Amino acid sequence: MSASESPGSAQEFYGRWAALYDLIARKTPGVPHLRRRAAAACRLEPGDTVVEMGCGTGANLPSLREAVGPEGTVIGVDFTGPVLERARDLVSGYDNVHVVRGDATRPPLNGAADVDAVLATFVVGMLEDPAGAVDDWCDMVGDGHVVLANAARNDGGEWYAPAVNAAFRAIVVLSTPPTTRLRYEDDPTGRLDAKIDAAHGRLRERSSAVADERHLFGVVRLTGGRLG
């Protein structure tokens, strides 16, 4: 959800395009590998509890369940009904994977579980206060891990960066509700970059150990932080 859109309009937008997002989440070259790397960065062990903020159609949930085993717990949180229905169908065979509807900044967990890790992929760019959300997630895990994976412009200076960034900007505009808008009050790509920088920067500040990776021609930033 962008800073300029209401929660209702964002839910309607992402719900309408749930099938397309599901296809992109599973079939885009390089993305399945990225999701496995994100799950590995959570440093999960059998029996752990992991919460995915903004689980979408559930593409990460099977990998997280594999990491925690049948004795662990996986909780996926998302605010869009049609998207969650796809996630529930995907994990219907697991009795220790739970999908709940809620806001990633105020997850409906009620302190019922000790959380060992929080994973958030392609989420913080939708939040009003991404750094504040990261603070909350860090507080939630205590001495555990928080992992972020997000798309932003390639700032590495490689020869292919201009072409990649042009394609990335087109994708951002097409995926920012409403897509019919020809002009924006500000650059949606720059706004997204600022949010990603703020979230990943705050995680680095809060962590005692940090691992950073770049994927998909430098467009996707993966940061894993160990707290405590």
Side-chain angles (χ1 to χ4, degrees):
M1 181 172 58
S2 72
S4 60
E5 299 299 329
S6 69
S9 65
Q11 290 183 41
E12 180 183 356
F13 176 83
Y14 292 112
R16 185 188 316 127
W17 294 102
L20 177 59
Y21 277 106
D22 191 39
L23 179 64
I24 293 171
R26 299 178 195 284
K27 301 301 183 181
T28 301
V31 171
H33 172 73
L34 167 66
R35 294 188 181 280
R36 290 191 295 271
R37 290 295 303 153
C42 291
R43 299 291 190 264
L44 295 167
E45 298 181 357
D48 279 352
T49 295
V50 56
V51 178
E52 182 179 7
M53 301 299 182
C55 67
T57 57
N60 291 322
L61 298 179
S63 295
L64 296 175
R65 196 272 180 183
E66 182 179 355
V68 302
E71 63 271 38
T73 301
V74 178
I75 302 171
V77 179
D78 204 283
F79 74 155
T80 306
V83 165
L84 281 177
E85 288 305 313
R86 290 180 173 270
R88 289 192 179 102
D89 290 342
L90 179 66
V91 300
S92 60
Y94 302 131
D95 59 7
N96 63 331
V97 181
H98 312 284
V99 179
V100 296
R101 187 171 185 175
D103 189 332
T105 63
R106 297 184 298 275
L109 304 180
N110 299 320
D114 292 328
V115 178
D116 299 290
V118 166
L119 172 64
T121 60
F122 309 112
V123 172
V124 299
M126 304 180 190
L127 306 179
E128 293 279 358
D129 180 14
V134 170
D135 275 331
D136 292 340
W137 300 339
C138 290
D139 292 341
M140 182 183 300
V141 303
D143 293 333
H145 292 79
V146 173
V147 176
L148 307 177
N150 293 285
R153 282 180 290 195
N154 180 329
D155 58 2
E158 294 90 350
W159 64 268
Y160 51 78
V164 169
N165 288 337
F168 177 68
R169 186 186 187 284
I171 293 170
V172 170
V173 170
L174 289 173
S175 61
T176 299
T179 58
T180 55
R181 186 178 296 175
L182 296 179
R183 294 181 180 273
Y184 290 84
E185 295 177 359
D186 56 3
D187 176 13
T189 311
R191 186 168 67 240
L192 177 62
D193 284 349
K195 290 187 174 187
I196 303 311
D197 288 343
H200 286 244
R202 183 59 56 84
L203 180 56
R204 294 185 189 97
E205 292 171 2
R206 292 288 304 266
S207 301
S208 59
V210 178
D212 278 310
E213 297 179 2
R214 294 294 182 106
H215 295 266
L216 298 177
F217 297 100
V219 168
V220 177
R221 306 175 189 181
L222 174 63
T223 300
R226 186 179 72 213
L227 285 298

